[in-house]
Amino acid sequence: MKTAIIFGSSGGIGHQFVEYCLAQYEHVFACTRQSQSFKTIDKEGKGKLHLMQLDPSSETELQLFSEYLAGREFNVQLMINACGLLHDDSTHIAPEKKIEDFNAESFEAVIKANALITPLIAKHLLSHLNKGAKKCQSTGVFASLSARVGSIGDNYLGGWYSYRASKAALNQIIKTLSIEASRRFKNSAVVAIHPGTTDTHLSEPFQANVPAEKLFTPEYAIKKMMAVIENVTLDDSGKFYAWDGSLIQW
Ligand SMILES: NC(=O)c1ccc[n+]([C@@H]2O[C@H](COP(=O)([O-])OP(=O)(O)OC[C@H]3O[C@@H](n4cnc5c(N)ncnc54)[C@H](OP(=O)(O)O)[C@@H]3O)[C@@H](O)[C@H]2O)c1
């Protein structure tokens, strides 16, 4: 039973990954802290949607999810972490324009949302991906949504300290995990991917100066990213991709 697991499925990008996967996988787990709904449920009987209300930064909840999967016949072949945080009005989190804007609490919240979840998912669920891929003689792919601004080599503009640092930390975790996967989870590839500027809640306050042709719909971004993800091989593990398949320097 070919299975995909999507974290951050309440988000603009995560939601669309679920919609896409429903047409391609027999089972799709849509994981978020919120309640959620989808317009495509079991479309043409091809997909079976499992709505999971869980907090991916909770080890207890991930452990329970792992135990649930362990007793069942799901062949996990794809895991995507689409969780992320750039701004939050309710907690006054906003990307810093200058160092005086830096705030310890905001930094911790941004690090938690952007860098903590991927290693926790890997700790509890990467073995399921590897097992599913091995059984199906395919490459299991664990893709995490990063951001070009997390590239240290590509940083020419400055600003956005917390978000940049959190995605740079995520990138280092992905690179490190890919090395361990090559030894211990040999049927799995671990990659980072930048979606391009995509029209979601996260990018909404920053869209004013983005040319129309560079602001993607979630449908377009996911179509492009899945074309990359679906062609990832074991040799590609540890790469940082842009939405069009080009590589971004760390
Ligand atoms: N949109 C863009 O232009 C753009 C550009 C570059 C990179 N990205 C990256 O793409 C990913 C998806 O972004 P998006 O545009 O879809 O954003 P979004 O619409 O704001 O969705 C964000 C998702 O992250 C989850 N999330 C946020 N904080 C969390 C936390 N502390 N713990 C667990 N889940 C948390 C939310 O889940 P809850 O509902 O449970 O809060 C939501 O599902 C992010 O990693 C983002 O950095 C986006």
Side-chain angles (χ1 to χ4, degrees):
M1 294 196 290
K2 192 181 170 193
T3 300
I5 305 176
I6 314 296
F7 291 90
S9 54
S10 63
I13 287 174
H15 181 102
Q16 196 55 40
F17 269 122
V18 173
E19 293 281 7
Y20 182 97
C21 287
L22 279 170
Q24 309 289 334
Y25 289 77
E26 289 169 276
H27 292 273
V28 180
F29 286 86
C31 310
T32 174
R33 298 175 299 179
Q34 319 290 334
S35 59
Q36 51 187 334
S37 61
F38 289 86
K39 61 175 186 253
T40 314
I41 294 189
D42 247 347
K43 196 178 174 190
E44 295 167 15
K46 281 185 191 157
K48 190 166 176 209
L49 178 60
H50 305 257
L51 299 176
M52 305 288 289
Q53 193 162 357
L54 66 78
D55 180 353
S57 62
S58 159
E59 290 216 46
T60 308
E61 293 184 31
L62 286 172
Q63 177 61 32
L64 284 171
F65 186 22
S66 173
E67 285 166 15
Y68 175 82
L69 291 173
R72 287 169 175 80
E73 288 293 310
F74 296 109
N75 290 324
V76 182
Q77 295 189 39
L78 174 68
M79 295 199 302
I80 295 178
N81 176 17
C83 296
L85 177 66
L86 175 58
H87 61 92
D88 181 5
D89 287 349
S90 67
T91 48
H92 308 290
I93 294 173
E96 306 90 347
K97 290 185 179 151
K98 55 188 187 310
I99 194 64
E100 287 82 358
D101 297 334
F102 190 87
N103 173 280
E105 279 177 26
S106 300
F107 181 74
E108 284 175 9
V110 172
I111 287 278
K112 187 176 175 192
N114 292 325
L116 178 71
I117 293 169
T118 284
L120 292 182
I121 292 170
K123 175 177 172 181
H124 292 283
L125 300 175
L126 192 57
S127 57
H128 291 288
L129 178 77
N130 202 57
K131 199 173 121 206
K134 190 173 178 187
K135 206 166 156 194
C136 299
Q137 297 181 317
S138 62
T139 299
V141 179
F142 180 23
S144 290
L145 273 287
S146 186
R148 189 181 291 277
V149 297
S151 163
I152 293 174
D154 194 61
N155 183 358
Y156 299 104
L157 288 176
W160 292 27
Y161 286 90
S162 298
Y163 188 70
R164 283 185 189 277
S166 68
K167 292 297 190 185
L170 170 68
N171 289 349
Q172 180 65 277
I173 284 163
I174 289 163
K175 180 72 187 177
T176 305
L177 186 60
S178 73
I179 293 167
E180 183 171 348
S182 70
R183 297 184 194 124
R184 295 190 54 227
F185 303 98
K186 293 186 177 176
N187 295 82
S188 305
V190 183
V191 298
I193 191 157
H194 165 66
T197 307
T198 305
D199 186 10
T200 66
H201 166 77
L202 183 139
S203 69
E204 199 274 327
F206 312 100
Q207 293 175 3
N209 296 325
V210 180
E213 71 278 10
K214 292 201 168 163
L215 179 63
F216 300 158
T217 62
E219 289 81 358
Y220 180 79
I222 273 59
K223 200 174 136 204
K224 298 301 283 186
M225 285 191 284
M226 283 305 293
V228 177
I229 289 168
E230 285 170 342
N231 284 305
V232 162
T233 66
L234 292 176
D235 288 341
D236 296 321
S237 194
K239 289 181 177 172
F240 181 11
Y241 286 104
W243 55 276
D244 59 357
S246 60
L247 292 179
I248 301 175
Q249 59 179 315
W250 294 110

